[in-house]
Amino acid sequence: MAGTPKAKELTEVSEAQIAVHWKEEEYYQPSDQFKAQANMRDPRIFEKFGLDRFPDCFKAYADMLTWFEPYHTVLDTSDAPFWKWFVGGKINASYNCVDRHLEQYGSKAAFIFVPEQEAERDVALTYRELYDRVNEVAALLQGVGLKAGDRVTLHMPMVPELPITMLACARLGVIHSQVFGGFSGQACGSRIQDSGSRLLITMDAYWRNGSLIDHKVNADIAVKTAHELGQDVDKVLVWQRYPGKASAKTPMVSGRDFFVNDLLKDYQGKRVDPVRLSSEAPLFLMYSSGTTGKPKGAQHGIAGYLAYVTATSKWILDIRPDDVYWCMADIGWITGHSYIVYGPLANAATGVLYEGVPTYPDAGRPWRIAERLGVNIFHTAPTAIRMLRKLGPQEPRKYKYRFKSMTTVGEPIEPEAWRWYYDEVGKREAVITDTWWMTETGGFLATTMPAIHPMKPGSCGPAAPGIHPVIYDETGTEVPKGSGKAGNICIRNPWPGIMQTIWGDRDRYVKTYFAKYNKNPRSKDWRDWPFLCGDGAVQAADGYYRILGRIDDVINVAGHRLGTKEIESACLTVPEVAEAAVVPVQDEVKGRVPEVYVALKPGVPPSQAVIDRVIKANEEVIGKIARPKQVYIVPDMPKTRSGKIMRRVLAAISNRRDVGDVTTLANPDVVEQIRVMVQGKDAAKTQEELPEDIAKFGQVE
């Protein structure tokens, strides 16, 4: 057996399993003041959510919702691993987020919208006004023929019309698919095609970094792209950033495009009863980058998802109705769905919605907003924290806001950045929850419980209640805590927030998330289906997890996951490019940024024009977020004898590290040529070890 390639491969992988060494950080304790007011301060919560009480422990989450008809089964595993939660119940997400709060909180702000232009006034939207607007938009959607089960693509910026439209869809059981506003028209079009949407809802323009961006132009590209892929869009509904006034140069297309503001005149004051939907009906699709060029639509169901984000918003974010809560993420990502719209609204929160970039017009902007609005819960990503620290390290001291709780989300945060967040932004008073989770999981998986656990910089903390992680090595052997060894973090058990499937691709769902450690594909027992999260992790002796980054070839740029295959596919749209390879490079602000290597077709001379076209292709096909830090035109890619591009070697070159032994490559000479091109002839190498995610980059197929 030892001689077979499979056995040899496993030996190499396990030998390559990196022992992770870092300085154990000190603990920071939550204040007595915070603990006294916290929604969850009973340490026995973890016993109540032990595996021996699974799945009935999650009834506590379902009890936070209002049901039209009660459910009869907490978890149905009959179609494993397509878990069904709270089966038999009838429910509506829009009702739970809006209608049920009217009696007690009707005159309280649901959202406070802050335009990017500081001269423009904030707009407070009460729960009563939110109810009125959601009903009118739901009536309009009904009027254009939409019904439960239909899909609608939204391509909208951070404006109140976005949650209003989402909640109007949810009211009818229409499945919404919001595409991040910064994504290109082509990226939107491919998602329209995959979901089978016949309706696109967009906005004419929005403010970004001081400019009023023409966003309508993306709708035309999206419709054209979808058509080319075989999906026709019947109507494009366009919200106006300034109702009654044109803010985009791109003209409307007669018979296809309609201003929402004009159409709504026919639906003023209309009421639409929330549809009583099956607990298992889909609520939305959220497209996540994958390791193939095709984005995958994570499908989340109503009851399980809503129960999970409601409970975690209450217990982990510590949201109460009298708090002013600001999550600085974008609703176009899962964080915004879970922890700007559905979770906070289900808890009757007042949420701040900010249109623009946090550093416009300067790095004091977030703290001015926090002071003016009395924000006391703040939620953002490490990228924003690093950026604000770099541009205005002492800005928070100038403002008299007081946060009780702060969250970080989207990627691991370095201890150095964590301490600035704690000392300067939180003024050594706020607790920090460093949360780890992803699009597919719906809500937080690992985090400290803010009133129960001490915080430890660089570690997200233990698992959330009812989440039972396990770290496996490549062979499926459990890696013990405190061993200093890294492995693949998985979750042993299902939980209500988990996605239901990948839209239209059951096989890919099983293969991507379960196949690696499943020993019996026919099993109906949840114990046989550990969920592969796709991150490397290590667990300290105290039980706290440290997340090391992606184990697949996905680059986490500023908290946004971009599939390398997607970026490479964009590069290959440039006619001169024969091959493309993308690697992650460490970046002080964004964490990771892509660098691109391209080899040109025979006879095509290298030129700056080709480089410019590659950069432009990434911006057009994906969006500015995918703009490469550098594009290198290489004579050939370093390849194995079977023709596989060795991205690991390119990642080492880009990150100024030693490339190691390349003698087994088919073309080892090209490696030195590329190294000199990137690093210079006599470049000094950095001796530090590569971060785990970059070190492992390119090893996963």
Side-chain angles (χ1 to χ4, degrees), residues 448-494:
T448 49
M449 204 55 130
I452 297 170
H453 300 121
M455 301 158 267
K456 189 165 74 167
S459 298
C460 57
I467 301 295
H468 299 276
V470 57
I471 297 175
Y472 288 125
D473 70 11
E474 287 298 312
T475 66
T477 304
E478 197 168 323
V479 177
K481 71 177 180 182
S483 66
K485 288 244 181 355
N488 300 332
I489 189 166
C490 301
I491 311 299
R492 296 177 193 273
N493 60 298

Side-chain angles (χ1 to χ4, degrees), residues 144-146 150-153 192 196-201 219 222-224 226-227 230-237 253-258:
V144 297
L146 289 174
D150 290 341
R151 279 82 58 210
V152 167
T153 300
I192 288 172
S197 297
R198 300 189 71 86
L199 182 73
L200 171 63
I201 304 180
V223 171
K224 181 172 180 281
H227 174 74
Q231 177 65 31
D232 285 326
V233 173
D234 300 331
K235 285 189 176 67
V236 178
L237 303 187
V253 175
S254 178
R256 185 197 75 185
D257 300 351
F258 302 90

Side-chain angles (χ1 to χ4, degrees), residues 40-49 449 451-453 465:
M40 174 46 68
R41 43 185 189 267
D42 179 2
R44 290 172 306 173
I45 187 71
F46 292 93
E47 287 165 43
K48 292 175 183 170
F49 280 80
M449 204 55 130
I452 297 170
H453 300 121

Side-chain angles (χ1 to χ4, degrees), residues 55 57 63 82 100 235 281 296 299 333 342 348 397 408 477 492 511 542 548 574-575 627 698:
C57 54
D63 288 349
F82 302 88
R100 67 174 179 157
K235 285 189 176 67
K296 52 184 189 286
Q299 176 184 315
W333 304 100
Y342 289 110
R397 297 179 183 182
T408 167
T477 304
R492 296 177 193 273
K511 189 178 169 195
D542 61 10
L548 304 169
V574 177
R627 184 187 173 93

Side-chain angles (χ1 to χ4, degrees), residues 332-471:
W333 304 100
I334 190 68
T335 299
H337 278 49
S338 298
Y339 298 119
I340 294 179
V341 182
Y342 289 110
L345 290 178
N347 282 287
T350 292
V352 176
L353 263 188
Y354 173 57
E355 177 179 30
V357 293
T359 51
Y360 182 83
D362 57 67
R365 184 69 187 278
W367 323 127
R368 289 199 289 282
I369 292 170
E371 179 183 84
R372 185 176 78 247
L373 299 181
V375 173
N376 67 337
I377 305 177
F378 186 67
H379 188 161
T380 192
T383 296
I385 296 166
R386 287 190 292 261
M387 191 163 56
L388 290 162
R389 174 176 174 235
K390 186 180 174 186
L391 297 176
Q394 298 189 333
E395 282 295 309
R397 297 179 183 182
K398 300 176 185 173
Y399 302 95
K400 293 185 172 65
Y401 65 83
R402 280 279 175 274
F403 295 154
K404 69 167 183 176
S405 155
M406 306 192 305
T407 297
T408 167
V409 64
E411 58 187 314
I413 181 168
E414 309 82 353
E416 199 183 343
W418 190 100
R419 277 188 283 273
W420 179 81
Y421 195 36
Y422 183 79
D423 292 341
E424 295 293 332
V425 179
K427 307 183 180 183
R428 298 187 181 176
E429 293 173 0
V431 295
I432 293 178
T433 45
D434 176 358
T435 61
W436 167 70
W437 59 297
M438 57 210 65
T439 301
E440 296 89 339
T441 74
F444 306 139
L445 293 182
T447 167
T448 49
M449 204 55 130
I452 297 170
H453 300 121
M455 301 158 267
K456 189 165 74 167
S459 298
C460 57
I467 301 295
H468 299 276
V470 57
I471 297 175

